[in-house]
Amino acid sequence: MSHAPPYPTLTPGVPSAASDITWTDPQRGLLFDQWLAATAPAHGLRTGTLRLASADASFRRYFRVDTPASSRIIMDAPPQQENCQPFVKVAQLMHDAGLCAPGVLAWDEPLGFLLLSDLGGQTMLQVIDKSNPQANLPLYLQAVDALIAWQLASKPDVLPPYDEALLRRELELFPDWYLVQDKGLTIDETMRFTLDNAFKQIIAVNLAQPSVYVHRDFMPRNLMAPTTPGGALGVLDFQDAVYGPITYDIASLMRDAFLSWDEDFCLDVTVRYWEKARKAGLPVGDDFGEFYRGVEWMGLQRHLKVAGIFARLTLRDAKPQYLADTPRFITYIRSTCARYRELKPLLRLVDKAEGIVEPDIFGFGRQA
């Protein structure tokens, strides 16, 4: 009987000899060593190959470790900060829906260590040709097919509701973190009235949409490129899934946190999604114009939320890399607000925060 090579002891705060992993908590590093040693034999893990795979905006980290035939992913999710139960539950829902999601091979719930199947090393974002939108259409249509399969599996009372309280809490991240903490503004009575009125309208439009399963971060950064020709896209980062507006995930896919497409490409993919969804019996309505309006208003809610989250990640969590993408969100927010008369007061508020001054068209050509 062969044995996996011994796993090297990790010195807290210092990378181990066999990996780029560090532990700021000595006790957690020791517990991980013990868990890995106990888990490795049953799953053929070559513990000496352990290395960091990625870290995300939360407290989770992901490691990769080889087996004789392939590789596995280990999730390190400290239970004081991360609850893995939603991840495990949604992973099963996705498998039941026919999606390619990580399989949970082992789980130490009290410690927050999970052994997962490995969906590959390249995200859809990494393989996209940003200079040629149409070259990426096949990938986006695969994403659309996965999204429709996920939505068709929807049932009420399985996932938490994306209700008014949650929508409002998310929207308040924008004034709390972006306007006040990042921009240094004081929310006066006039600004508060504008925000409250805009948020009320945004919430009403979004809650009027039919409810389905919502991934909440369905975008190329969280979709894994197929590992074989004709293979399925893998789906990651789904632990915050809820039951809410059908417009959310297509808005997330086409109004991405980390890259932008021109309006023609966004419309093309959204129309194709709407046509396929309608043919599949999903409640997307018979008027694409109305549906697209719903997508835009849903995207606006998401962009206001994410601008606040990125400011919080920078200022509270010392992760400044996220703030570099904030201008993308301000552009999304301004373009949507400019399209709808009822959102013009919010546009003026955002412009004030950004120091944007609209040209005085009546003063054009006026002599000093």
Side-chain angles (χ1 to χ4, degrees), residues 270-311:
T270 307
V271 166
R272 290 168 187 263
Y273 160 79
W274 175 76
E275 289 173 340
K276 286 189 170 191
R278 191 168 56 145
K279 190 173 291 186
L282 287 167
V284 292
D286 296 324
D287 183 335
F288 177 73
E290 277 297 305
F291 179 76
Y292 195 69
R293 176 179 183 270
V295 171
E296 289 202 295
W297 282 66
M298 189 74 256
L300 177 60
Q301 189 273 348
R302 174 176 167 79
H303 300 144
L304 291 164
K305 171 188 75 170
V306 176
I309 289 174
F310 280 14

Side-chain angles (χ1 to χ4, degrees), residues 56-181:
D56 59 24
S58 71
F59 293 93
R60 292 181 296 271
R61 293 193 298 173
Y62 300 89
F63 312 141
R64 182 171 273 111
V65 62
D66 293 338
T67 71
S70 59
S71 58
R72 298 286 182 257
I73 295 293
I74 294 172
M75 183 196 294
D76 166 31
Q80 298 88 344
Q81 289 91 16
E82 300 289 339
N83 176 12
C84 292
Q85 288 182 345
F87 179 92
V88 174
K89 177 178 180 176
V90 179
Q92 187 59 55
L93 289 175
M94 289 204 159
H95 279 286
D96 293 345
L99 273 68
C100 179
V104 179
L105 309 176
W107 177 26
D108 189 315
E109 185 173 357
L111 292 181
F113 298 131
L114 289 86
L115 181 67
L116 309 170
S117 56
D118 190 351
L119 303 187
Q122 283 190 303
T123 66
M124 179 176 163
L125 182 62
Q126 290 171 316
V127 302
I128 274 175
D129 181 352
K130 296 178 183 178
S131 65
N132 183 4
Q134 285 301 317
N136 307 297
L137 186 59
L139 277 174
Y140 272 89
L141 293 183
Q142 277 192 276
V144 162
D145 289 342
L147 176 55
I148 289 172
W150 171 233
Q151 293 174 334
L152 284 171
S154 304
K155 295 177 183 177
D157 305 319
V158 175
L159 294 174
Y162 209 169
D163 56 15
E164 180 177 352
L166 180 53
L167 285 164
R168 187 172 297 280
R169 280 201 306 275
E170 291 183 340
L171 285 167
E172 287 298 335
L173 292 167
F174 181 71
D176 290 352
W177 282 98
Y178 188 75
L179 296 180
V180 175
Q181 298 293 333

Side-chain angles (χ1 to χ4, degrees), residues 44 126 137 150 205 268 288 312 340 350 358:
Q126 290 171 316
L137 186 59
W150 171 233
V205 170
D268 184 20
F288 177 73
R312 186 176 67 186
Y340 299 95
V350 172
E358 291 294 332

